[in-house]
Amino acid sequence: MLHIHEEASRCLLCTDAPCSQVCKNGDPARAIRSIRFGNEKIASRWVAQCTDDELEAAEKACIHYDRPIRIRELVRAVSGEVPTTDSPLPSLDITFCGIHCENPFFLASSAQSAWAAISAASSAPLVPSV
């Protein structure tokens, strides 16, 4: 029995996901991310136009070190009615210090780095300027 959250959590979250590169009519990587982060209702939206052959090719293209993510089974598990909406999904793209970023986790790691820098700077003696 497939546990969709366990299977989706195995995904390596590739930047230029090979599974999405071979699928011309959809984005399996986005569907897997949707499932992984608890948004199963939207997951089918990203692969609604994919053929079974494309999903099979996506599984073969998966670079997971153990075994490929079972994309076709994940899609079947969440497939149902594709949600329709007139408004597009919000973009998580940001420009941070002049660098375009699509990864929503960038901010979390940046905050940790920033706090580390602040902590290091605050341990240095403060010399008032004259």
Side-chain angles (χ1 to χ4, degrees), residues 43-96:
S44 57
R45 180 181 196 177
W46 302 117
V47 290
Q49 302 300 320
C50 292
T51 65
D52 197 48
D53 290 337
E54 285 179 320
L55 294 174
E56 183 178 358
E59 279 186 22
K60 289 180 182 176
C62 179
I63 60 168
H64 194 277
Y65 54 88
D66 182 15
R67 65 182 188 278
I69 304 299
R70 296 181 287 180
I71 298 170
R72 288 179 293 173
E73 290 181 53
L74 283 174
V75 169
R76 281 188 216 116
V78 297
S79 66
E81 218 168 289
V82 178
T84 57
T85 178
D86 293 335
S87 63
L89 292 175
S91 172
L92 298 177
D93 294 359
I94 62 166
T95 301
F96 185 76

Side-chain angles (χ1 to χ4, degrees), residues 4-127:
I4 63 171
H5 294 285
E6 288 179 20
E7 187 66 17
S9 70
R10 292 181 52 245
C11 179
L12 299 175
L13 302 175
C14 304
T15 302
D16 287 326
C19 60
S20 291
Q21 290 176 4
V22 298
C23 190
K24 303 300 178 203
N25 295 315
D27 192 348
R30 264 185 130 163
I32 293 168
R33 285 184 182 99
S34 294
I35 296 167
R36 182 174 181 158
F37 297 110
N39 202 355
E40 298 85 8
K41 292 180 182 179
I42 297 296
S44 57
R45 180 181 196 177
W46 302 117
V47 290
Q49 302 300 320
C50 292
T51 65
D52 197 48
D53 290 337
E54 285 179 320
L55 294 174
E56 183 178 358
E59 279 186 22
K60 289 180 182 176
C62 179
I63 60 168
H64 194 277
Y65 54 88
D66 182 15
R67 65 182 188 278
I69 304 299
R70 296 181 287 180
I71 298 170
R72 288 179 293 173
E73 290 181 53
L74 283 174
V75 169
R76 281 188 216 116
V78 297
S79 66
E81 218 168 289
V82 178
T84 57
T85 178
D86 293 335
S87 63
L89 292 175
S91 172
L92 298 177
D93 294 359
I94 62 166
T95 301
F96 185 76
C97 296
I99 300 170
H100 179 75
C101 303
E102 294 179 2
N103 184 348
F105 300 106
F106 176 76
L107 293 176
S109 61
S110 297
Q112 291 171 355
S113 299
W115 281 114
I118 290 168
S119 173
S122 65
S123 65
L126 185 62
V127 179

